[in-house]
Amino acid sequence: MSMTFINLPVRDLTTAAEFYRALGFTSDQAEPGGGTRVLTVSESTRLVLHLRSGFESYTGVAVTDTQTSREVVVGLSAPSRERVDELVDLAAVAGGESLGPGMTNGPMYMRGFRDLDGHQWSFLHMAG
Protein backbone atom coordinates (compact mmCIF):
# COMPACT_ATOMS: atom_id res chain seq x y z
CA MET A 1 0.00 0.00 0.00
CA SER A 2 1.32 3.46 -0.77
CA MET A 3 1.22 6.28 1.77
CA THR A 4 0.67 10.01 1.28
CA PHE A 5 2.49 12.53 3.47
CA ILE A 6 1.24 16.12 3.45
CA ASN A 7 4.00 18.38 4.81
CA LEU A 8 3.05 21.89 5.94
CA PRO A 9 4.87 24.73 7.69
CA VAL A 10 3.16 26.17 10.76
CA ARG A 11 3.85 28.98 13.21
CA ASP A 12 2.91 26.97 16.32
CA LEU A 13 2.96 23.17 16.45
CA THR A 14 0.68 22.83 19.47
CA THR A 15 -2.00 25.18 18.15
CA ALA A 16 -1.89 23.66 14.66
CA ALA A 17 -2.12 20.12 16.06
CA GLU A 18 -5.12 21.12 18.20
CA PHE A 19 -6.82 22.58 15.11
CA TYR A 20 -6.41 19.37 13.12
CA ARG A 21 -7.45 17.19 16.06
CA ALA A 22 -10.71 19.20 16.09
CA LEU A 23 -11.25 17.88 12.54
CA GLY A 24 -10.75 14.30 13.71
CA PHE A 25 -7.10 13.79 12.74
CA THR A 26 -5.44 11.50 15.30
CA SER A 27 -2.18 9.94 16.55
CA ASP A 28 -0.41 13.19 17.22
CA GLN A 29 3.26 12.23 17.46
CA ALA A 30 6.03 14.66 18.30
CA GLU A 31 9.21 13.93 16.38
CA PRO A 32 12.63 13.99 18.05
CA GLY A 33 13.91 17.55 18.34
CA GLY A 34 10.43 18.99 18.85
CA GLY A 35 10.12 20.75 15.48
CA THR A 36 7.68 18.34 13.83
CA ARG A 37 4.35 16.69 14.62
CA VAL A 38 2.70 13.87 12.69
CA LEU A 39 -1.07 13.38 12.64
CA THR A 40 -3.02 10.55 11.06
CA VAL A 41 -5.61 11.67 8.52
CA SER A 42 -6.50 8.16 7.36
CA GLU A 43 -4.95 4.73 7.14
CA SER A 44 -2.85 5.84 4.19
CA THR A 45 -2.44 9.58 4.79
CA ARG A 46 -0.37 11.48 7.33
CA LEU A 47 -0.15 15.21 7.97
CA VAL A 48 3.36 16.30 8.91
CA LEU A 49 3.49 19.71 10.58
CA HIS A 50 6.87 21.48 10.68
CA LEU A 51 7.85 24.68 12.40
CA ARG A 52 8.40 27.23 9.64
CA SER A 53 12.17 27.40 10.20
CA GLY A 54 12.48 23.63 9.99
CA PHE A 55 10.34 23.53 6.84
CA GLU A 56 12.56 26.18 5.22
CA SER A 57 15.65 24.19 6.17
CA TYR A 58 14.07 21.02 4.78
CA THR A 59 13.02 22.61 1.45
CA GLY A 60 15.87 25.07 1.05
CA VAL A 61 13.50 27.96 0.23
CA ALA A 62 11.38 30.49 2.13
CA VAL A 63 7.89 29.53 3.23
CA THR A 64 5.14 30.92 0.96
CA ASP A 65 3.22 33.90 2.34
CA THR A 66 -0.30 32.43 2.47
CA GLN A 67 -1.80 35.92 2.72
CA THR A 68 -0.69 36.72 -0.84
CA SER A 69 -0.23 33.42 -2.66
CA ARG A 70 -1.18 29.73 -2.82
CA GLU A 71 1.20 26.95 -3.56
CA VAL A 72 -1.22 24.04 -3.19
CA VAL A 73 -4.79 23.22 -2.23
CA VAL A 74 -5.10 20.01 -0.23
CA GLY A 75 -8.28 18.08 -1.02
CA LEU A 76 -9.65 15.21 1.06
CA SER A 77 -12.67 13.06 0.39
CA ALA A 78 -15.65 12.70 2.73
CA PRO A 79 -18.36 10.02 2.75
CA SER A 80 -21.27 12.43 2.20
CA ARG A 81 -22.23 16.02 1.40
CA GLU A 82 -23.35 16.41 5.00
CA ARG A 83 -19.94 15.30 6.28
CA VAL A 84 -18.23 17.81 3.96
CA ASP A 85 -20.27 20.59 5.55
CA GLU A 86 -19.68 19.25 9.08
CA LEU A 87 -15.91 19.15 8.57
CA VAL A 88 -15.68 22.67 7.18
CA ASP A 89 -17.94 23.93 9.98
CA LEU A 90 -15.61 22.22 12.50
CA ALA A 91 -12.63 23.94 10.87
CA ALA A 92 -14.35 27.33 11.22
CA VAL A 93 -15.25 26.71 14.88
CA ALA A 94 -11.62 25.70 15.55
CA GLY A 95 -10.41 29.06 14.17
CA GLY A 96 -10.07 28.36 10.46
CA GLU A 97 -11.76 30.37 7.70
CA SER A 98 -14.67 28.88 5.76
CA LEU A 99 -14.48 29.82 2.08
CA GLY A 100 -18.24 29.98 1.72
CA PRO A 101 -21.01 27.60 0.77
CA GLY A 102 -20.40 24.29 -0.94
CA MET A 103 -20.17 24.01 -4.72
CA THR A 104 -21.62 21.27 -6.89
CA ASN A 105 -19.94 20.27 -10.13
CA GLY A 106 -21.67 17.25 -11.65
CA PRO A 107 -21.38 14.40 -9.14
CA MET A 108 -18.87 16.31 -6.98
CA TYR A 109 -19.75 18.46 -3.96
CA MET A 110 -16.88 20.50 -2.52
CA ARG A 111 -16.37 23.08 0.18
CA GLY A 112 -13.15 24.82 1.20
CA PHE A 113 -11.47 26.42 4.17
CA ARG A 114 -8.15 27.89 5.24
CA ASP A 115 -6.38 26.62 8.34
CA LEU A 116 -4.76 28.73 11.06
CA ASP A 117 -1.66 29.28 8.91
CA GLY A 118 -3.62 30.16 5.76
CA HIS A 119 -3.14 26.83 3.96
CA GLN A 120 -6.13 26.14 1.73
CA TRP A 121 -8.00 22.83 2.05
CA SER A 122 -11.17 21.38 0.60
CA PHE A 123 -13.34 18.46 1.53
CA LEU A 124 -15.24 16.82 -1.29
CA HIS A 125 -17.78 14.10 -1.85
CA MET A 126 -18.25 12.25 -5.12
CA ALA A 127 -21.82 10.97 -5.52
CA GLY A 128 -22.53 7.64 -7.09
Side-chain angles (χ1 to χ4, degrees):
M1 173 193 310
S2 63
M3 297 279 299
T4 300
F5 295 89
I6 303 164
N7 291 265
L8 293 177
V10 298
R11 289 183 290 272
D12 183 289
L13 284 173
T14 301
T15 304
E18 288 172 4
F19 174 83
Y20 288 108
R21 280 195 301 267
L23 298 180
F25 298 6
T26 60
S27 299
D28 182 14
Q29 305 164 2
E31 292 294 311
T36 302
R37 291 246 174 113
V38 179
L39 291 110
T40 299
V41 178
S42 71
E43 184 177 311
S44 62
T45 305
R46 301 293 182 272
L47 174 61
V48 185
L49 304 174
H50 303 270
L51 286 175
R52 293 170 62 95
S53 59
F55 190 87
E56 288 176 343
S57 177
Y58 176 69
T59 62
V61 296
V63 170
T64 299
D65 179 354
T66 58
Q67 295 298 313
T68 60
S69 65
R70 298 278 167 257
E71 187 172 66
V72 67
V73 175
V74 180
L76 299 173
S77 65
S80 68
R81 291 173 60 109
E82 294 78 18
R83 187 65 179 148
V84 167
D85 289 333
E86 288 171 7
L87 288 164
V88 174
D89 291 344
L90 284 171
V93 168
E97 174 191 0
S98 170
L99 298 178
M103 300 178 343
T104 302
N105 184 0
M108 182 185 72
Y109 176 72
M110 179 180 69
R111 190 168 166 210
F113 70 94
R114 289 195 186 101
D115 68 16
L116 302 177
D117 290 280
H119 304 295
Q120 191 161 325
W121 292 74
S122 62
F123 284 106
L124 59 100
H125 171 70
M126 297 294 288

